[in-house]
Amino acid sequence: MLHPAAMTAGTDASIRADLSPASRARVAAPMGNATIVRRLVRGYLKGQWGTLGLAVACMIVTAGMTAALSYLLDPAIKLIFLDKRADMLMLIPFAVFGVIVVRALTTFVQQALVDTVGERAVAAVQRDLFDSLVHGDLAALNAVHSGQFVSNFLYDATLMRDAIVRGIAGLTLEFLSLIALAGVMVYQDWRLALISIFVLPGVAWVTQKIGSSLRRAASSGMAETAELSTALSEALDGKRIVKAYGLEDHVASRANARIDGRLKYLVRVARTRAGAVPASDLFAGVVIAGTIFYAGYQAMHGEIGINHFASFLAAMLLALQPVRNLTQLWATASSGLSAADRIFAIIDTKPRIVDRPGAHVLAASGGAVRFRNVGFSYRADAGAPAIENVSLEAQAGQKIALVGPSGAGKSTLFNLLLRFYDAETGGIEIDGQDIGHVTLKSLRENIALVTQEPILFDETVAENIALGRRAASQAEIEDAAKAAAAHEFISQLPEGYATRVGEGGLRLSGGQRQRIAIARAMLRNAPILLLDEATSSLDSESERQVQEALARLMAGRTTIVIAHRLSTVLDADRIYVLDRGRVVESGTHSELMKHSGLYARLYQHNLNDEPA
């Protein structure tokens, strides 16, 4: 199975180096609020217009029932309290109760529908986000900690969902309620209604100020949340080292620092939101006082009845809630838009490693590999390149080995052959075809990779083996396991091939994990095999079993081995010795030993280090 995470276990520490601005993934510039909203509506609410239409219909009814409640005070006071009509004593209260029941039902339905739309939209965004990540370049994935991606998926997506739900429900329902209640106010007394309009510019000004401040604080809070996710994931991923070295206090201190930093911005967000409603209430208080003053003046001159004023005042007081909600809505929307901006920036990241125009399917026959004067740097400002002017060749069916000190460039050659990165100079060919001009899918289908640390997923044993070829039958999976000397121990597992291997395969021993990885490569049946010293971390018995499985796997395939233990590559058809990114020696084991160069020194040192 080929995937970016597998290469992070290689010997080159430079894989996770920071990228230069020129080599970083191309990300779209920050978007404005209007652009984000248009993208959400056109891209993620599309196909849900029927559900939204029904929700809006319910909102219209809800707004109408809210206005009806305020209006009913007019006949209630006039007919019951002033005219004292007994026939209205049952009718009007029943009408009020009926209005409340209808309002409750439509409120429930519209909220359930809007929540459904919001959840579906966020799920679609998360699918696009994950798709962008897994199809992104290895360079871009290595440049950002996985904890930050987790933060994007969970925290940012939650904020975005709240913005969608509150945005749809708030803007529509509250706006419709304001219109309906304003209609009641105008109907009862248009002059008093004019006074109420004066609050709107003030509320709009407060809302805009609060929204701007909140978006800045929310953006900083999201960044701190990503840092906290990084600290937590590192502490959990490195739990064995944390325990072994007594680093509990150290990692707790790191996490506490991130929590404190995040808390600072979350408190700022909370205080800003808390100030939204009181600020709008101040303006509303001025309007209420002015309304009572003017209505009292009219009453003294007999220009307004108590029933009309009561209905007007009820409508105005009910209208205050939509105004307050709209103020809070902008606070929530600001956080959500900021989160959406971060998520869309990742979704819009364009990978550099893609099929070039006119790329054709790799027609691999024997799997001969050739590097021609290849050069590459992970960073433009790194000084010395990772590899420079490297030329090497593996004939079809040959086994060649790459040896050298740590950081010599061995894993970089694997990265380039798999096109995780593109060579900057020179070229790489498979069976005479430049890999830059073949499709990525066909290139990687012809290469099997077995790493020093086998990568297993928390799925069943059979599913992990089948990652080599997804369409494989159970019989083919078992045949591959037998060839990898894994069938026997798999059969003894509690559920056999249906046994889940746990996180990272931790329910299995190192030798068992490695043999499953070899079975995966067996199933892939690719003409080219890349081995990153697949036995260096195993005990003697496990190593013997894995070596036997590897011997069967290498038969008839072009094999390139990264060798840390030089005793494992004595039978290589050719050994290439790398140092500081260059090939400094090449030849068979005996030829290189006669040369008494770097290889001879490495071999002698390596031999002395190996257990007797």
Side-chain angles (χ1 to χ4, degrees):
M1 173 67 178
L2 303 176
H3 56 89
M7 295 309 298
T8 62
T11 56
D12 288 337
S14 57
I15 289 177
R16 291 193 63 86
D18 291 334
L19 303 174
S20 67
S23 60
R24 284 178 182 163
R26 293 165 288 180
V27 180
M31 293 180 284
N33 290 346
T35 303
I36 295 173
V37 170
R38 280 197 302 270
R39 181 162 180 177
L40 284 171
V41 171
R42 294 173 182 174
Y44 298 102
L45 298 182
K46 186 178 180 180
Q48 300 194 71
W49 296 120
T51 304
L52 284 173
L54 182 57
V56 171
C58 290
M59 292 176 193
I60 292 172
V61 176
T62 301
M65 294 302 101
T66 302
L69 281 176
S70 64
Y71 174 77
L72 283 173
L73 278 177
D74 182 347
I77 293 174
K78 182 178 186 303
L79 299 177
I80 297 176
F81 293 97
L82 297 179
D83 295 347
K84 301 186 185 301
R85 288 179 54 179
D87 59 324
M88 294 290 109
L89 190 58
M90 288 293 294
L91 182 59
I92 292 179
F94 183 78
V96 170
F97 178 73
V99 167
I100 291 175
V101 169
V102 173
R103 185 171 180 266
L105 288 175
T106 54
T107 298
F108 167 76
V109 173
Q110 63 90 8
Q111 189 61 55
L113 293 173
V114 169
D115 285 344
T116 300
V117 169
E119 295 292 354
R120 287 175 178 169
V122 170
V125 169
Q126 289 176 322
R127 283 192 287 269
D128 286 350
L129 178 59
F130 190 82
D131 187 70
S132 177
L133 291 178
V134 297
H135 287 94
D137 294 334
L138 183 64
L141 293 174
N142 286 339
V144 181
H145 196 283
S146 58
Q148 296 189 27
F149 292 133
V150 173
S151 175
N152 292 136
F153 266 97
L154 302 180
Y155 181 67
D156 290 359
T158 298
L159 290 176
M160 203 173 96
R161 179 202 62 205
D162 291 344
I164 292 173
V165 172
R166 294 287 301 277
I168 295 173
L171 283 176
T172 307
L173 178 59
E174 309 302 350
F175 185 69
L176 289 173
S177 297
L178 276 176
I179 292 176
L181 290 166
V184 174
M185 293 163 64
V186 171
Y187 176 78
Q188 296 296 357
D189 193 305
W190 65 269
R191 290 164 296 185
L192 286 177
L194 286 178
I195 299 176
S196 304
I197 296 175
F198 293 136
V199 73
L200 297 179
V203 171
W205 178 80
V206 169
T207 300
Q208 191 275 331
K209 291 296 182 181
I210 289 175
S212 299
S213 176
L214 191 63
R215 181 162 185 179
R216 290 192 297 270
S219 297
S220 300
M222 290 173 206
E224 289 295 332
T225 300
E227 294 295 333
L228 176 59
S229 297
T230 296
L232 292 175
S233 62
E234 286 181 343
L236 294 174
D237 291 343
K239 52 188 175 290
R240 296 182 66 193
I241 295 299
V242 170
K243 294 293 184 184
Y245 283 84
L247 300 176
E248 291 90 346
D249 291 341
H250 171 69
V251 296
S253 176
R254 286 188 65 203
N256 287 337
R258 300 302 185 194
I259 291 171
D260 290 341
R262 180 172 180 264
L263 177 63
K264 179 178 68 174
Y265 291 108
L266 292 183
V267 168
R268 185 183 300 175
V269 169
R271 289 175 177 172
T272 303
R273 282 181 174 171
V277 171
S280 63
D281 283 353
L282 288 175
F283 289 96
V286 173
V287 172
I288 292 173
T291 300
I292 293 175
F293 173 81
Y294 185 67
Y297 175 82
Q298 286 182 309
M300 290 179 184
H301 292 79
E303 295 179 5
I304 188 171
I306 185 64
N307 55 312
H308 296 300
F309 176 67
S311 178
F312 178 91
L313 187 61
M316 186 175 66
L317 292 175
L318 285 173
L320 288 180
Q321 190 59 45
V323 171
R324 299 171 77 184
N325 290 344
L326 286 171
T327 306
Q328 289 184 313
L329 165 67
W330 184 243
T332 301
S334 296
S335 297
L337 292 173
S338 182
D341 194 18
R342 285 163 55 90
I343 290 175
F344 289 152
I346 297 174
I347 292 176
D348 291 341
T349 300
K350 304 299 182 185
R352 289 180 173 273
I353 309 300
V354 295
D355 290 341
R356 295 175 183 171
H360 60 86
V361 174
L362 175 63
S365 51
V369 176
R370 183 185 180 195
F371 283 71
R372 295 181 292 100
N373 304 316
V374 174
F376 174 75
S377 295
Y378 286 100
R379 295 171 46 138
D381 59 347
I387 59 170
E388 184 177 7
N389 200 33
V390 168
S391 295
L392 57 85
E393 187 171 0
Q395 296 293 334
Q398 279 190 334
K399 174 184 177 181
I400 70 169
L402 308 176
V403 305
S406 177
K410 304 182 293 295
S411 291
T412 299
L413 296 180
F414 275 19
N415 288 338
L416 296 176
L417 181 57
L418 287 159
R419 275 201 76 199
F420 292 160
Y421 301 86
D422 275 334
E424 295 168 355
T425 59
I428 305 172
E429 297 175 354
I430 294 178
D431 288 332
Q433 301 162 76
D434 191 322
I435 66 170
H437 295 98
V438 302
T439 62
L440 285 171
K441 184 175 184 292
S442 66
L443 169 66
R444 294 171 184 172
E445 282 179 343
N446 283 281
I447 302 174
L449 172 68
V450 181
T451 60
Q452 184 175 354
E453 291 293 332
I455 305 297
L456 301 184
F457 297 94
D458 189 12
E459 299 177 343
T460 67
V461 172
E463 288 170 333
N464 271 283
I465 295 175
L467 293 175
R469 182 159 49 89
R470 299 305 303 274
S473 66
Q474 182 66 26
E476 291 173 320
I477 291 171
E478 292 184 13
D479 287 342
K482 291 173 183 176
H487 179 74
E488 182 177 351
F489 85 78
I490 294 173
S491 300
Q492 295 173 356
L493 294 173
E495 298 177 65
Y497 283 85
T499 303
R500 292 180 71 93
V501 301
E503 181 184 357
L506 290 179
R507 295 177 185 170
L508 305 175
S509 69
Q512 291 172 334
R513 292 197 298 271
Q514 195 61 279
R515 278 177 280 168
I516 288 177
I518 293 171
R520 178 193 299 164
M522 290 276 192
L523 191 62
R524 194 168 191 81
N525 195 28
I528 300 171
L529 174 63
L530 305 182
L531 298 177
D532 187 355
E533 193 55 271
T535 64
S536 62
S537 61
L538 303 178
D539 58 76
S540 298
E541 177 59 23
S542 296
E543 180 181 3
R544 182 189 63 78
Q545 294 173 327
V546 170
Q547 286 286 14
E548 291 174 356
L550 285 174
R552 289 189 289 273
L553 176 60
M554 289 186 288
R557 293 182 171 84
T558 304
T559 304
I560 305 177
V561 180
I562 291 179
H564 302 290
R565 297 170 62 174
L566 302 187
S567 59
T568 63
V569 294
L570 301 183
D571 62 338
D573 294 292
R574 194 162 193 84
I575 299 171
Y576 290 89
V577 185
L578 284 85
D579 187 28
R580 299 180 182 179
R582 290 174 172 269
V583 175
V584 294
E585 296 174 345
S586 68
T588 63
H589 170 73
S590 58
E591 291 171 347
L592 292 172
M593 290 301 293
K594 290 177 183 177
H595 189 262
S596 299
L598 176 60
Y599 176 83
R601 295 194 300 274
L602 289 172
Y603 180 78
Q604 191 60 45
H605 179 73
N606 198 265
L607 190 63
N608 291 336
D609 286 344
E610 290 189 8

